[in-house]
Amino acid sequence: MVHKRPASILCMFLVALCGVCLSENSSAETLVSQGDEFLKSGQYDKALNSFGDAISLDPDNYNTYYKRAGIYLLKGKYLPALSDLNKILEMNPTFNQARLRRGKTLLTLGRPDDAKLDYELVLKSKPNDIMATNGLESVKKYLGLVSSANNLIQQNRAPEAVPFLNEALDLASESKSLRLLRAEASLNAQDYNRVLEDTMTVLKQQSGNLQALYLRGRAFYFLGEREAAIKHYSQALKYDPEDTLSKAEFKRLSKLDKASNQAATLFGQGQFSEALAEYETAIELEPNNIQVSPNLYVGKCKCHLKLRQNNEAIAACSKAIEMDGNQVDAFIARAEVYMQLDDFDKAIFDYQKAREKQPQNHAINQGLAEAQKRQKMAKRKDHYKILGLTKDASPQEIRKSYRKLALEWHPDRQEDPEKKDMAKERYVEIATAYEILSDEESRGRYDRGEDLEQPMQQGFQQGFPFGGGGGPFHFTFNFGGGG
């Protein structure tokens, strides 16, 4: 009796244990069935939970892993799917469906060599397997596309690599390295929105990816969002204070901000030479950014303008316009330079280009009107020049010059008929100039660009004012003595 009792207890324990095993298997099967139903109705999260619970109860059933891996792939969760597929093939290396699925997953993750091994293993056991054959073709195509893209990038033809990378990403959409390569190529192609899209995709998977943060910062900078750029460089440096690329850009932008701000301040204070030096420093730091550099060149142009360094001013403004044809300030500043040079045709052209972009800008319209007026003035006779004077001549100087020239060119002093005719024309010019400039009101009107010549010319046409003819001007000369 003593020996029968332990045996009885052992039997009861084994029976209970078998009951638990049967209960767990039964529960796992039930959970798998539930998962199947959830899967059919598109309730993927509930299906994942059911399959996960079933695996907890029955971890050796690779079919359940296979079902869960399929849902992970449907949801775009490739790494968890790969983990399940690895587990399946550890348990059953001959499960070709799992190996084919893993091959495709590996290629999607940008691991073509590993994908190739899986497809080759399937073909070893099933030489005519269509899916494995197609999978190998996809791997081959992917490798060719990436090779072509890399060759173009090495030849400094990164923008041309983008189409190859687009096609490669259709096959390996979850490859971070490939996506970052396209982001870098897109940066060179000035497709900054594509850079932001690709880097955001990578950062969602890996928030501390230094290359993604750097490229994203560069894209924001080229879009003119300097604060956003600095924010991303700072974020990269929090992950790695010695990150070479972000550290260099952070320092460069800090120097650029300092130089450009200092230049604007000095210009506002009238320290044009000092402002010019700061603008040149800023341009040296960023010579070719179409969002930033044109404004720096305009600042440089305005400094040269104030310093009356006209050729240098034109060169700087022209560079700004070359980089950004919508740079209104550059057209205005260059027009002002041309006004200083009395090149009114070019000034009018620049003011008109500026007005096309800002029709209601009062300063532009005012500048254009002034250029047109001065152009008209430049085409009329220069009465000051006729009298051999400058525009600031005094009334006494005007009178003195007139008397001298009138005496010199009086027609009655010319014996040769041809010279007499020429003297008449010259004398009319001298008389007209004196009549306008000797009168304070008419001189003021002339200086303002008003048209005074037409009625006077008509008056002269009625008869030469000397020697008895009619006309608006009548002068008496005593050639025998002082006037």
Side-chain angles (χ1 to χ4, degrees):
M1 293 292 294
V2 175
H3 297 287
K4 289 182 180 179
R5 192 169 180 180
S8 175
I9 293 172
L10 180 60
C11 288
M12 292 174 63
F13 174 76
L14 291 172
V15 169
L17 182 61
C18 289
V20 170
C21 291
L22 289 171
S23 176
E24 287 181 350
N25 287 335
S26 176
S27 297
E29 290 174 3
T30 301
L31 289 166
V32 169
S33 297
Q34 289 177 352
D36 289 338
E37 292 302 317
F38 286 135
L39 180 59
K40 288 177 184 178
S41 61
Q43 299 181 69
Y44 300 133
D45 289 334
K46 289 183 177 180
L48 278 177
N49 291 333
S50 295
F51 291 141
D53 290 341
I55 288 170
S56 297
L57 294 175
D58 186 9
D60 297 324
N61 190 333
Y62 58 81
N63 284 311
T64 311
Y65 283 100
Y66 187 74
K67 291 182 177 184
R68 187 171 70 174
I71 298 177
Y72 280 138
L73 291 174
L74 283 172
K75 292 175 67 65
K77 296 183 176 182
Y78 294 93
L79 291 177
L82 180 61
S83 178
D84 277 357
L85 292 167
N86 289 340
K87 185 71 175 177
I88 294 166
L89 292 169
E90 286 175 11
M91 291 188 284
N92 184 2
T94 64
F95 191 178
N96 281 341
Q97 286 302 110
R99 195 169 293 281
L100 288 168
R101 183 169 283 183
R102 188 174 73 171
K104 187 173 182 179
T105 301
L106 288 166
L107 182 57
T108 301
L109 291 168
R111 294 168 58 181
D113 293 337
D114 293 332
K116 181 181 177 185
L117 289 175
D118 272 342
Y119 290 133
E120 287 175 343
L121 281 172
V122 173
L123 288 172
K124 193 173 182 179
S125 62
K126 295 179 65 178
N128 296 320
D129 190 283
I130 297 299
M131 292 183 67
T133 301
N134 290 340
L136 274 179
E137 286 298 317
S138 295
V139 169
K140 182 179 178 181
K141 180 181 179 182
Y142 171 84
L143 292 172
L145 291 167
V146 173
S147 176
S148 297
N150 281 325
N151 287 337
L152 289 167
I153 291 170
Q154 289 172 6
Q155 297 171 30
N156 293 321
R157 297 162 59 190
E160 296 175 51
V162 172
F164 293 96
L165 295 170
N166 290 343
E167 200 170 347
L169 275 165
D170 288 339
L171 298 169
S173 59
E174 298 302 305
S175 171
K176 289 196 293 286
S177 61
L178 189 62
R179 197 165 289 277
L180 290 172
L181 188 62
R182 184 173 72 174
E184 190 168 354
S186 297
L187 189 70
N188 280 278
Q190 299 180 3
D191 187 353
Y192 304 123
N193 289 326
R194 170 61 64 81
V195 178
L196 295 179
E197 291 172 6
D198 281 343
T199 52
M200 177 56 73
T201 299
V202 172
L203 290 170
K204 283 180 179 179
Q205 300 173 14
Q206 184 185 3
S207 60
N209 188 291
L210 299 178
Q211 187 182 1
L213 290 168
Y214 168 75
L215 291 172
R216 194 168 177 80
R218 291 292 286 164
F220 275 123
Y221 177 66
F222 284 119
L223 287 168
E225 299 184 36
R226 200 178 305 182
E227 291 183 6
I230 292 174
K231 176 183 175 183
H232 282 81
Y233 298 141
S234 299
Q235 190 175 347
L237 293 173
K238 286 180 182 178
Y239 286 105
D240 181 2
E242 298 304 317
D243 179 56
T244 305
L245 293 174
S246 290
K247 188 175 183 179
E249 274 302 294
F250 184 82
K251 286 184 177 180
R252 191 181 69 83
L253 284 190
S254 298
K255 290 179 181 177
L256 179 61
D257 275 347
K258 182 180 178 181
S260 57
N261 290 335
Q262 185 69 5
T265 300
L266 289 167
F267 187 90
Q269 295 171 350
Q271 300 180 55
F272 304 121
S273 295
E274 294 81 357
L276 177 60
E278 293 295 336
Y279 276 122
E280 287 176 340
T281 297
I283 288 170
E284 186 177 348
L285 288 165
E286 189 54 271
N288 297 310
N289 183 336
I290 61 172
Q291 297 294 334
V292 178
S293 304
N295 289 324
L296 299 177
Y297 282 109
V298 171
K300 181 181 178 181
C301 173
K302 289 180 178 179
C303 290
H304 284 304
L305 174 64
K306 293 293 185 181
L307 296 168
R308 292 193 171 274
Q309 298 168 344
N310 296 319
N311 291 335
E312 293 85 348
I314 290 172
C317 274
S318 297
K319 180 64 176 178
I321 292 167
E322 177 188 333
M323 296 183 72
D324 180 6
N326 293 314
Q327 259 291 341
V328 173
D329 285 347
F331 282 110
I332 295 173
R334 192 170 69 175
E336 291 177 11
V337 181
Y338 287 134
M339 291 290 283
Q340 283 189 169
L341 294 170
D342 290 341
D343 193 340
F344 305 118
D345 289 340
K346 290 181 179 178
I348 288 170
F349 176 83
D350 277 352
Y351 277 128
Q352 287 175 335
K353 294 295 288 186
R355 189 172 66 171
E356 287 175 9
K357 303 171 196 316
Q358 292 184 10
Q360 305 303 320
N361 187 306
H362 176 70
I364 294 172
N365 290 321
Q366 190 175 42
L368 177 59
E370 178 66 18
Q372 290 170 333
K373 183 182 81 172
R374 290 181 62 183
Q375 182 193 50
K376 183 178 179 181
M377 290 171 64
K379 291 179 179 178
R380 69 182 180 173
K381 289 182 179 179
D382 188 336
H383 294 313
Y384 290 102
K385 187 176 180 180
I386 289 170
L387 295 180
L389 300 169
T390 59
K391 292 181 180 180
D392 58 354
S394 67
Q396 292 80 10
E397 290 172 325
I398 292 171
R399 184 164 54 253
K400 181 179 179 181
S401 178
Y402 164 69
R403 286 180 174 179
K404 177 184 175 182
L405 292 170
L407 182 63
E408 178 183 349
W409 288 96
H410 196 290
D412 291 346
R413 301 191 66 184
Q414 310 297 327
E415 295 181 0
D416 187 328
E418 290 185 5
K419 289 184 178 180
K420 193 181 229 17
D421 290 339
M422 183 178 70
K424 287 180 181 180
E425 292 179 7
R426 181 81 172 104
Y427 198 87
V428 168
E429 288 182 341
I430 295 167
T432 302
Y434 177 70
E435 180 71 8
I436 290 173
L437 298 182
S438 63
D439 181 78
E440 184 177 349
E441 181 183 351
S442 62
R443 182 181 181 181
R445 292 175 61 196
Y446 174 76
D447 287 344
R448 290 192 297 273
E450 296 179 25
D451 189 1
L452 302 178
E453 294 188 37
Q454 189 63 27
M456 293 178 180
Q457 290 172 348
Q458 289 174 350
F460 280 123
Q461 290 170 359
Q462 296 171 6
F464 185 68
F466 305 99
F473 305 124
H474 299 276
F475 304 96
T476 301
F477 297 92
N478 182 359
F479 295 112

